Amino acid sequence: MNEVLFVVPLWVDLSAVAIGAVQGAMFAARFQDRQLDWLGVAIIGVVVGLGGGLIRDILLGQVPASLQNNWYLPVASGAALLGMLLLRTVTRLGPVIIGLDALTIGMFGAIGSTKALAAGLPVIPAIFVGTVSAVGGSVLRDVMLGVPVALMHVGSLYAVAAAVGTALLVLAVTFGTPLGIAAIVGVSSTAVIRLLAVRFGWTLPEQRQIGGWRIWRRSTRG
């Protein structure tokens, strides 16, 4: 594969960072019982905006992109402040946060898998890097806020949505689809799956349901 074909424009990467930071700050600002000050909320926003990219670049053995350019930290910080102001001026933003969250994981998944392909990774590792990049920021966010990690609980479908979107992107590119079209398909698929999962309550089986499978089989045979 020609690495030139997989260069992610700076404005695309910064857009993903900004959207992630806005979503992260809006999410954190809702936890009024945690007594977070403006700095704390801003830090959460910056972590969400930059976290997935940091994990991605570490996996690829590269210096994080956010440390190679002057734009990443200011954009993430400014977007996080914007997220705080939006939450303070507009009420009932739950659906907006969910929508931004879905768009964020889609964009980070697409960027992560694209950069993995540019680094020469095969299809499966590229999908893995894209998926981890997509969910990394939200995992760090939940850990820092001391709340259950959404990725690991019933009802999120974070990783499933990200994996499907990145897989579609990588496979489309592998079969010769132009990168722009493949990226749109990947981001859209991730966002749609995530939003539908929230809307209709789609989940993976709970651990106890899986554990009860053998018991159920024995009872039906008996």
Side-chain angles (χ1 to χ4, degrees):
M1 293 183 181
N2 187 352
E3 183 172 343
V4 177
L5 296 177
F6 297 104
V7 174
V8 177
L10 179 61
W11 69 269
V12 173
D13 212 356
L14 291 177
S15 296
V17 167
I19 294 173
V22 168
Q23 185 274 335
M26 292 174 67
F27 184 89
R30 300 173 70 189
F31 288 83
Q32 298 181 359
D33 59 322
R34 303 301 171 92
Q35 297 183 332
L36 295 172
D37 58 17
W38 280 32
L39 178 60
V41 174
I43 289 175
I44 296 296
V46 171
V47 166
V48 174
L50 299 179
L54 287 171
I55 296 173
R56 172 201 68 214
D57 293 337
I58 291 173
L59 288 174
L60 295 177
Q62 301 175 354
V63 177
S66 56
L67 301 181
Q68 299 186 62
N69 188 290
N70 288 324
W71 282 103
Y72 284 89
L73 287 170
V75 166
S77 301
L81 293 174
L82 175 62
M84 281 192 295
L85 294 175
L86 285 175
L87 191 65
R88 291 176 179 275
T89 56
V90 183
T91 58
R92 298 180 181 177
L93 282 179
V96 176
I97 296 176
I98 294 173
L100 287 175
D101 191 36
L103 182 60
T104 299
I105 61 175
M107 293 184 70
F108 277 121
I111 293 172
S113 56
T114 298
K115 290 194 173 184
L117 290 173
L121 270 63
V123 169
I124 300 300
I127 295 172
F128 172 76
V129 170
T131 303
V132 172
S133 176
V135 302
S138 65
V139 172
L140 294 175
R141 174 200 69 195
D142 294 342
V143 170
M144 292 182 67
L145 286 172
V147 300
V149 178
L151 172 67
M152 301 175 63
H153 288 77
V154 172
S156 68
L157 287 191
Y158 271 93
V160 172
V164 171
T166 55
L168 289 175
L169 185 154
V170 171
L171 292 174
V173 170
T174 301
F175 286 103
T177 304
L179 180 58
I181 296 176
I184 292 174
V185 171
V187 174
S188 301
S189 301
T190 299
V192 168
I193 292 173
R194 170 63 181 151
L195 292 174
L196 290 177
V198 174
R199 174 64 179 84
F200 296 105
W202 294 350
T203 66
L204 293 177
E206 291 185 57
Q207 179 272 336
R208 62 174 178 268
Q209 293 175 324
I210 298 175
W213 173 248
R214 294 181 180 178
I215 299 174
W216 178 82
R217 290 186 65 184
R218 287 199 299 268
S219 65
T220 55
R221 289 177 179 176

